[in-house]
Amino acid sequence: MIRLKLRIGQWLANVTRRLHNNFYIYLAALLTVFVLLDAGLFHVGENMRQKAFDFMVRSRVLAPAPDKDIVIVDVNEASLAAMAKEYGRWPWPRQVFGEFLENIEAQHPKAVIFDILFSDADVYNPDSDAYFNDVISGTDNTFFPFLRLPESSDKLSQVKPNMIAGISESQPSQGDMQATIAVVLPHFDAALNSGRLGTHNIYPDKDGIVREYQLYQDAYGWRLPSLPMTVAGKLGYTLPPDQNILLNWRGMPFSYQYVSFSDVMQDMGSKDKKRPQNEFTDKIVIIGSTAPSLFDLKATAMAKAHPGVEILATAIDNVKHQDYLKVWRGAIPYILISLLLIWLTTLAFYLNADRDRFNKVFSFSQIGLLVLSYIGINLSNFYLDFTGPITWALFYFSIAKIYALATDRALQRWLAYGVKEGASDTHVMIMPILIESDEPLGDSIMKKLKRQIELTSRTPSSVDILKGVQSGIWGLFGELTVVSWTFAEGRQEYASEAHMDAERIAKALPSMIASLDLPGKPQAVHTVYENRLDGRAPLGRQWRSAFAAALLQLEAIKPDATPVQADTPTPSPEL
């Protein structure tokens, strides 16, 4: 097992010597290919965006308030139970809705929107249907839905787009007059001829979550408006230019003003009115159902079971106030931001940036982007999507960090490979560096010096700082920098690399000292001490002896001599 580890370490060291920092560029190039493939084929980043979007929208502190002029008349479970005594089970006779509409119109609402599809005739109550149709014909503010069926059924339909009032051509003279569309229309002529029709289809994303509302559909050159679009057009609201809007949720389900259908209906038929008689004046009244038994519940970013009628209310609210969410999304922004983060991280690794500092900068930058995205969706209608790019940057950073740590360990052992167990053939070279300055050096200066030495060194070496915080005699060793190399005895290529590295550091010392901005005229004193370690004897004692000998050799050098030039390494007597 030990031999296997040594061989793996030696292989990694050899690979590292050949690749050097080019590995980081190769890794970035590989991830660039992955990002392009993901943007075009796999869409993993898009899925991450959706999950992050759901979390941030659901966790907002400053969510917009629902419009107080939108009221939902709810056919809830309580209404179904209360009305069953007189009208039986759902669906109720259309007379019920005729009476309800007739009474509510007396309060002059701005709009009455049915989120109920009256698709078939009530064969058992034709008079009830006729009554409801007459009430509809006397209104000019009622809106009714129709259902758009899958396009695959269009050829089976006999309904042509120009047969539906309110449907126009997408472009003038571009509509196919012979085309047919598969739709389920309201049964009542008054609703069909009013031109106040719109689809109430809700289309979830691929993961089954509703996040957007489709305002219109184009089919065969014809434009099929949705209920929110038709309502907005009739009430004079500005229509959004986009086909789909990203819903700006007003909160969790039941955030809007709800009233129970049976309670309102009962009060309408009562002589002793308890509800305000202007309750619906100038209101947008939406009649729908939240009863689970009527199956109009959808999964949204806010909840697993969101009433369809409230999704419709949210879409109308968004269109009215023009505050639907906008997000800079699509393949190009996703690619650009991802590659920017990946290659900035690559640059830091390639240039050997200070790892401790870079770790902090990277962590805070990624957190900062998420915070910026969260703040944006709280204070504005814009969602800044950084989820996918941040994930790619974290993926790159993790691999690069592992590689950097692994290669560091491998390189630290590189010069010692080839040493036979129990043989006295390990060579040590110690380079103590002392800076003579008018003022004591602080920890920050010593760390900066250490980092500069590490960047200057091109071979595996150990750079250690003895801080002046020890008590007693050990305090005398404070502010001393020690660079050490170990390599196999008799391996000339290892020895040559280590000696050239020591000379390289020595030549760079003047510029290093100048960059420290120390007062006065600081000087660097250094020496190079070499010896051999006996693998059969305790290594701790030998290292202490070598360190002591290196310090004695350093003390023999006068500060006013040429201290910043490299000494000619001369082997000292064996320990």
Side-chain angles (χ1 to χ4, degrees), residues 13-24 26 350 403:
N14 292 332
V15 170
T16 303
R17 292 179 64 192
R18 289 195 296 268
L19 291 179
H20 198 51
N21 283 4
N22 291 334
F23 170 83
Y24 302 117
Y26 299 150
Y350 185 80
Y403 172 81

Side-chain angles (χ1 to χ4, degrees), residues 248-564:
N248 191 355
W249 303 100
R250 292 347 193 187
M252 302 300 287
F254 300 98
S255 295
Y256 283 88
Q257 179 182 350
Y258 276 81
V259 294
S260 175
F261 185 94
S262 60
D263 291 346
V264 176
M265 190 69 181
Q266 182 179 5
D267 191 76
M268 287 178 175
S270 175
K271 294 182 179 180
D272 184 16
K273 309 290 185 183
K274 296 182 180 180
R275 304 183 71 88
Q277 295 307 292
N278 62 347
E279 182 177 8
F280 302 107
T281 302
D282 292 329
K283 303 291 186 181
I284 297 175
V285 181
I286 306 175
I287 304 170
S289 176
T290 65
S293 59
L294 298 186
F295 308 106
D296 192 20
L297 300 174
K298 311 291 183 183
T300 68
M302 303 302 296
K304 294 181 179 180
H306 209 126
V309 65
E310 189 161 343
I311 298 175
L312 173 63
T314 303
I316 295 173
D317 197 350
N318 284 188
V319 173
K320 176 182 178 180
H321 294 281
Q322 293 290 294
D323 63 350
Y324 46 89
L325 294 176
K326 302 176 182 66
V327 56
W328 189 38
R329 56 182 172 177
I332 294 179
Y334 169 66
I335 292 172
L336 291 179
I337 299 175
S338 298
L339 296 187
L340 177 63
L341 294 181
I342 288 173
W343 284 98
L344 285 178
T345 309
T346 302
L347 183 64
F349 276 101
Y350 185 80
L351 297 180
N352 293 317
D354 188 319
R355 290 184 185 175
D356 292 337
R357 182 178 299 177
F358 174 65
N359 289 345
K360 294 178 182 179
V361 171
F362 181 85
S363 300
F364 282 117
S365 65
Q366 306 309 298
I367 295 174
L369 290 176
L370 292 176
V371 171
L372 180 63
S373 180
Y374 182 72
I375 292 176
I377 205 170
N378 273 273
L379 300 181
S380 70
N381 300 329
F382 289 89
Y383 173 60
L384 303 173
D385 175 30
F386 298 122
T387 311
I390 287 176
T391 303
W392 283 113
L394 286 173
F395 184 66
Y396 178 91
F397 179 83
S398 300
I399 296 178
K401 187 71 174 179
I402 293 173
Y403 172 81
L405 294 175
T407 52
D408 280 352
R409 296 191 62 181
L411 287 174
Q412 287 172 4
R413 297 177 179 178
W414 167 57
L415 293 179
Y417 284 137
V419 178
K420 297 181 180 179
E421 185 177 0
S424 55
D425 55 1
T426 302
H427 203 86
V428 61
M429 191 167 73
I430 301 176
M431 183 180 184
I433 303 172
L434 179 65
I435 297 180
E436 299 285 352
S437 176
D438 295 339
E439 294 184 6
L441 307 180
D443 288 346
S444 60
I445 293 179
M446 296 301 293
K447 287 181 179 180
K448 185 176 181 181
L449 176 62
K450 176 183 177 182
R451 182 58 183 167
Q452 290 181 347
I453 294 174
E454 289 175 341
L455 293 176
T456 303
S457 177
R458 298 181 184 176
T459 62
S461 60
S462 175
V463 183
D464 299 290
I465 294 177
L466 300 183
K467 300 180 181 180
V469 295
Q470 294 89 348
S471 60
I473 191 172
W474 297 109
L476 299 175
F477 298 101
E479 301 178 349
L480 182 69
T481 304
V482 181
V483 188
S484 61
W485 296 261
T486 57
F487 50 90
E489 184 75 17
R491 298 296 295 269
Q492 185 59 38
E493 66 273 23
Y494 295 163
S496 177
E497 292 278 355
H499 286 105
M500 286 191 296
D501 212 25
E503 293 177 5
R504 191 178 298 113
I505 293 173
K507 291 179 181 179
L509 280 176
S511 60
M512 292 183 192
I513 295 175
S515 66
L516 298 178
D517 295 327
L518 297 174
K521 298 180 179 179
Q523 293 181 331
V525 183
H526 75 279
T527 188
V528 175
Y529 173 84
E530 296 184 60
N531 213 321
R532 187 173 63 203
L533 299 181
D534 188 348
R536 293 166 296 185
L539 292 178
R541 184 174 62 185
Q542 296 182 71
W543 270 104
R544 287 191 295 270
S545 299
F547 176 66
L551 291 184
L552 290 175
Q553 188 170 304
L554 180 67
E555 286 297 319
I557 301 176
K558 296 181 179 180
D560 55 352
T562 55
V564 296

Side-chain angles (χ1 to χ4, degrees), residues 146 160-168 185 191-198 225:
F146 68 93
K160 296 181 179 180
N162 58 357
M163 296 169 56
I164 306 174
I167 292 183
S168 59
L185 297 170
L192 283 171
N193 298 328
S194 68
R196 298 185 296 273
L197 299 177

Side-chain angles (χ1 to χ4, degrees), residues 1-11 413 417 419-421:
M1 183 61 70
I2 295 177
R3 290 183 178 179
L4 178 61
K5 290 182 178 179
L6 289 175
R7 289 186 177 182
I8 293 175
Q10 188 172 12
W11 172 82
R413 297 177 179 178
Y417 284 137
V419 178
K420 297 181 180 179
E421 185 177 0

